[in-house]
Amino acid sequence: MNIILLGPPGAGKGTQAQRLVAERGMVQLSTGDMLRAAVAAGTPVGQRAKAIMDAGQLVPDDVVIGIISDRLDQPDLAKGAIFDGFPRTTAQAEALDRLLADKGLRLSAVIALTVDEEALVDRITGRFSCATCGEGYHDRYKLPKQDGVCDACGGATFKRRPDDNVETVRARLAEYHAKTAPIADYYGQRSMLHSVDGMADIDAVYCQIVAILDESVADAE
């Protein structure tokens, strides 16, 4: 089973992907992680990517597809892949379709996490984490039980991502709508797109996703 999770920055895609990895045995495929791994391994496509990045250029789609192709051949993907950060454009979606078809694979579902963007801005700009263990917190929704002390490790130092400010978040949302949101139309025309309420609590969102996956399995049988 191979799926794509769509949604703007901060919609919760990473959180849901991690749970699918833990509970369903799927593998989260992050293009950034795969690029770094290919470069470190010195694969032919990784060497090409390194040369492009060392020159300060963006890695083109065909190189990214090559890295994904190599990754899909590895045995740990027997229970399926969750595509994270790819595709970002309709052209990439078309290239992914061709790649999967060439390998005798297919997408089971494309799941879009729909969100209220004003609430999303609040969600992102209010988040911070423990600098020691990475435990996540929020100014409004999840403060440490003891002020200034991490619930998980007892650390006393916290940090915020420098790009978690209103201006940057709104710019990222605008870029998402301009480049990535049209992918929803692409998959919608193929009756592959499913929407879930990304503003629900984490467990409720996960239950919606699992129901879609189970339905997709039943339809394929």
Side-chain angles (χ1 to χ4, degrees), residues 24-47:
R24 309 276 290 205
M26 302 175 75
V27 176
Q28 183 178 8
L29 297 185
S30 163
T31 50
D33 291 344
M34 286 187 288
L35 275 169
R36 287 185 287 271
V39 169
T43 64
V45 71
Q47 291 175 7

Side-chain angles (χ1 to χ4, degrees), residues 6-13 112-115 117 120 124 172-173 176-177:
L6 289 179
K13 300 184 298 297
L113 278 65
T114 60
V115 296
E117 292 198 357
L120 187 64
I124 295 174
R172 288 161 63 195
L173 288 171
Y176 170 79
H177 284 299

Side-chain angles (χ1 to χ4, degrees), residues 21 25-29 71 76-77 79-83:
V21 168
M26 302 175 75
V27 176
Q28 183 178 8
L29 297 185
R71 185 68 180 89
D76 62 324
L77 292 174
K79 293 187 177 179
I82 306 160
F83 288 95

Side-chain angles (χ1 to χ4, degrees), residues 154-165:
T157 305
F158 297 86
K159 63 181 181 179
R160 297 177 187 269
R161 285 177 48 171
D163 56 347
D164 281 354
N165 59 75

